[in-house]
């Protein structure tokens, strides 16, 4: 970011945000380095890539690419620290992680500003969601393990025998992040990993890598020993090297289905533990008795929040045939409340897409919807929204709604990962449930209705791992979330989430004083 841009932003944002820019006049140092052994480390590959501000299309920072020897160094760092970290009393681990939570919350706005520039999401979103929800999960797992959440079971088998179990750390784990919620996802992976006593080598998405070293520095400042959390940067080849490395015990991946399958196959080839949250094409079902305002609000949040770049988005909006016209009319009235603009303006609630490549992909789907699927374009389309001169090089797209859609259309069947809503009509509940389930994906689903009995019956039939009633998108730390079908393996967060980061050891103790045997003299 050049000085002229900083001055322009200063003049356009409220005074209470100026202090943030004074403290954060510069992004993390460029070039971005790797991080292992508790310190930033220069990569040996001599290769770099640029991270781009999606709102302007201009470079932010150079990022160093890890070579195989660099990755080996990061893994060796994690391996050497595992023994001592896994034996550290859980209450001591908990205190370190809680100090990190405090630092994250103290620096919320500073980190959110970096996330805004790296992802293109408005500051109004990154400051209220991204860091906050990541810190919440770290706090949850720090408190969980500190309060006995890793305790095993004790079973009295008989009078002179009993069984006890232990939950033990896995070893060196890999976290591969996604570009849409960078620091949140980094914390959702590292929080249970570190709380359980594992160490981690984390690879941020090459689209949005700037949070990696920020988080590593915070962990180190909080007292995390060197080597417990490490960061390597790069593209798919770096991820592939990590997932196939013989010293890795587990891989946790967030991203698209096709990549997730490759990562899972690589992990399975080495008998590694694996969890993955993959893509979705989620149904949002509006039942006939619902309040119209709530239905429209829910559909907009499920499609346009974070510019539609959310894996759980409810992009297939099913509406009773008789509600279609009033729903569309109210939706069009409320679309004016979607506001593009300066990313630091608190009134801005809609940003650009994350990259040029992704922009081209989303525009391609919109064009296909118009020209091939022949869906009716209700609003939006191929033209960019109106933005000031400074932002005209950014990857902006209009929020788009198609109506008169059918289940066989490409825009209805495939994940677009952008602000594109498809409206479909239905005639009865049995029909809409069957159509909602007619997909290979099963990440999320939701129902809007005033009849909670009906809501529970419908939710019970929907084939998805994350479901909502009369809301959309909220994912608190104590709610376990994960996909069904092709949308993932395992869960993150909640009590069940910690189980993905430990292995079980069961021990039977016999106190009878005699060892039973079948090998004895049959004459006795």
């Amino acid at each position: 970011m050049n000085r002229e841009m900083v001055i322009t932003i200063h003049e356009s944002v409220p005074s209470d945000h100026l202090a943030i820019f004074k403290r954060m006049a510069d992004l993390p140092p460029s070039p971005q380095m790797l991080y292992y052994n508790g310190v930033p480390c220069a990569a040996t590959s001599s290769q770099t890539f640029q991270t781009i501000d999606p709102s302007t299309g201009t470079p932010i920072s150079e990022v160093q690419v890890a070579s195989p020897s660099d990755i080996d160094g990061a893994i060796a760092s994690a391996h050497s620290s595992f023994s001592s970290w896994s034996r550290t009393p859980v209450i001591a681990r908990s205190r370190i992680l809680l100090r990190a939570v405090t630092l994250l919350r103290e620096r919320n706005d500073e980190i959110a500003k970096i996330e805004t520039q790296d992802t293109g999401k408005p500051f109004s979103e990154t400051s209220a969601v991204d860091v906050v929800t990541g810190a919440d999960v770290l706090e949850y797992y720090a408190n969980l393990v500190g309060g006995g959440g890793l305790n095993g079971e004790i079973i009295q088998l008989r009078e002179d025998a009993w069984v006890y179990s232990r939950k033990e750390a896995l070893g060196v784990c890999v976290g591969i992040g996604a570009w849409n919620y960078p620091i949140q996802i980094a914390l959702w992976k590292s929080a249970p990993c570190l709380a359980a006593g594992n160490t981690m080598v984390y690879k941020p998405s090459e689209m949005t890598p700037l949070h990696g070293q920020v988080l590593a520095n915070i962990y180190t400042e909080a007292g995390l020993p060197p080597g417990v959390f490490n960061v390597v940067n790069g593209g798919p080849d770096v991820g592939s090297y990590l997932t196939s490395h013989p010293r890795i015990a587990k891989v946790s991946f967030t991203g698209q289905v096709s990549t997730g399958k490759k990562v899972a196959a690589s992990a399975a080839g080495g008998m590694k533990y694996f969890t993955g949250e993959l893509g979705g094409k989620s149904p949002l079902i509006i039942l006939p008795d619902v309040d119209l305002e709530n239905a429209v609000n829910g559909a907009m949040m499920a499609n346009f929040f974070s510019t539609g770049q959310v894996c759980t988005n409810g992009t297939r909006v099913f509406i009773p045939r008789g509600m279609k016209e009033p729903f569309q009319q109210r939706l069009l009235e409320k679309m004016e409340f979607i506001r593009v603009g300066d990313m630091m303006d608190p009134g801005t609630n809609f940003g650009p897409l994350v990259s040029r490549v992704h922009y081209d992909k989303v525009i391609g789907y919109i064009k296909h919807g118009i020209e091939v699927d022949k869906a009716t374009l209700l609003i939006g389309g191929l033209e960019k929204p109106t933005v000031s001169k400074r932002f005209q090089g950014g990857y902006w797209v209009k929020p788009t709604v198609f109506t008169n859609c059918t289940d066989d259309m490409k825009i209805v069947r495939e994940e677009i990962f952008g602000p594109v809503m498809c409206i479909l009509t239905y005639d009865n509940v049995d029909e809409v449930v069957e159509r909602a389930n007619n997909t290979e994906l099963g990440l999320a689903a939701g129902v809007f209705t005033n009849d909670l009995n009906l809501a529970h019956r419908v939710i019970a039939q929907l084939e998805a791992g994350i479901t909502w009633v009369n809301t959309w998108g909220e994912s608190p730390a104590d709610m376990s979330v994960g996909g069904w079908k092709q949308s993932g393996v395992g869960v993150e967060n909640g009590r069940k989430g910690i189980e993905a980061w430990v292995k079980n050891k069961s021990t039977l103790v016999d106190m009878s004083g005699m060892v039973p045997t079948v090998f004895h003299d049959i004459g006795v």
Side-chain angles (χ1 to χ4, degrees), residues 224-304:
L224 200 68
V228 175
F229 182 77
N230 312 274
V231 180
V232 294
N233 297 309
D237 55 334
V238 173
S240 178
Y241 191 89
L242 280 169
T243 59
S244 61
H245 198 283
R247 274 188 164 176
I248 298 303
K250 174 191 167 65
V251 178
S252 176
F253 172 82
T254 299
Q256 64 184 18
V257 175
S258 58
T259 307
K261 288 181 177 181
K262 294 175 183 176
V263 173
S266 176
M271 294 300 290
K272 297 174 174 64
Y273 294 87
F274 174 78
T275 53
E277 187 199 274
L278 310 180
K281 191 68 179 178
S282 302
L284 185 156
I285 300 174
I286 295 168
L287 294 175
D289 67 326
V290 75
D291 175 79
L292 182 63
E293 194 76 4
N294 286 338
V296 173
N297 286 340
M300 290 183 70
M301 285 297 291
N303 281 270
F304 305 129

Side-chain angles (χ1 to χ4, degrees), residues 446-486:
V447 173
F448 287 81
T449 178
N450 292 327
D451 185 343
L452 288 181
N453 288 331
L454 179 58
H456 290 306
R457 288 200 299 272
V458 172
I459 286 290
Q461 298 176 71
L462 294 177
E463 298 169 356
I466 309 167
T467 55
W468 292 285
V469 175
N470 294 333
T471 187
W472 197 277
E474 184 177 3
S475 186
D478 40 7
M479 178 181 178
S480 297
V481 291
W484 289 8
K485 300 180 181 178
Q486 300 291 304

Side-chain angles (χ1 to χ4, degrees), residues 406-427:
T406 57
D407 295 340
D408 60 344
M409 291 180 177
K410 181 177 180 178
I411 57 171
V412 174
R413 291 185 291 105
E414 298 183 10
E415 183 180 40
I416 299 173
F417 218 69
V420 182
M421 179 192 299
C422 294
I423 296 175
L424 305 104
T425 59
Y426 70 91
D427 293 311

Side-chain angles (χ1 to χ4, degrees), residues 208-422:
T208 53
L210 297 183
H211 66 288
Q213 195 167 132
V214 171
L215 180 57
N217 284 327
I218 284 177
Y219 274 140
T220 297
E221 186 176 342
L224 200 68
V228 175
F229 182 77
N230 312 274
V231 180
V232 294
N233 297 309
D237 55 334
V238 173
S240 178
Y241 191 89
L242 280 169
T243 59
S244 61
H245 198 283
R247 274 188 164 176
I248 298 303
K250 174 191 167 65
V251 178
S252 176
F253 172 82
T254 299
Q256 64 184 18
V257 175
S258 58
T259 307
K261 288 181 177 181
K262 294 175 183 176
V263 173
S266 176
M271 294 300 290
K272 297 174 174 64
Y273 294 87
F274 174 78
T275 53
E277 187 199 274
L278 310 180
K281 191 68 179 178
S282 302
L284 185 156
I285 300 174
I286 295 168
L287 294 175
D289 67 326
V290 75
D291 175 79
L292 182 63
E293 194 76 4
N294 286 338
V296 173
N297 286 340
M300 290 183 70
M301 285 297 291
N303 281 270
F304 305 129
F305 186 75
S306 209
T307 317
Q309 298 170 122
V310 184
C311 52
T312 55
N313 267 2
T315 53
R316 293 186 293 148
V317 179
F318 289 93
I319 303 174
R321 193 173 303 278
M323 283 185 64
K324 176 187 169 186
E325 295 306 323
F327 175 88
Q328 291 182 170
Q329 179 181 346
R330 186 58 181 140
L331 175 64
L332 289 173
E333 292 169 355
K334 299 200 72 166
M335 293 292 284
E336 68 179 77
F337 302 138
I338 298 176
R339 296 178 293 271
V340 302
D342 192 304
M343 294 292 93
M344 289 301 297
D345 187 331
T348 299
N349 59 16
F350 189 86
L353 296 170
V354 74
S355 69
R356 180 74 202 191
V357 170
H358 192 55
Y359 170 85
D360 290 341
K361 173 187 173 183
V362 173
I363 287 295
Y365 273 107
I366 294 173
K367 185 175 182 180
H368 191 279
I370 296 169
E371 298 179 358
V372 181
D373 286 336
K374 303 294 185 182
T376 302
L377 182 65
L378 190 65
I379 192 172
L382 299 173
E383 295 181 359
K384 286 188 175 184
T386 301
V387 293
S388 65
K389 182 178 180 180
R390 181 156 57 90
F391 296 111
Q392 287 178 3
Y395 313 124
W396 300 87
V397 64
K398 286 185 176 180
T400 296
V401 179
F402 285 105
T403 188
N404 297 325
C405 297
T406 57
D407 295 340
D408 60 344
M409 291 180 177
K410 181 177 180 178
I411 57 171
V412 174
R413 291 185 291 105
E414 298 183 10
E415 183 180 40
I416 299 173
F417 218 69
V420 182
M421 179 192 299
C422 294

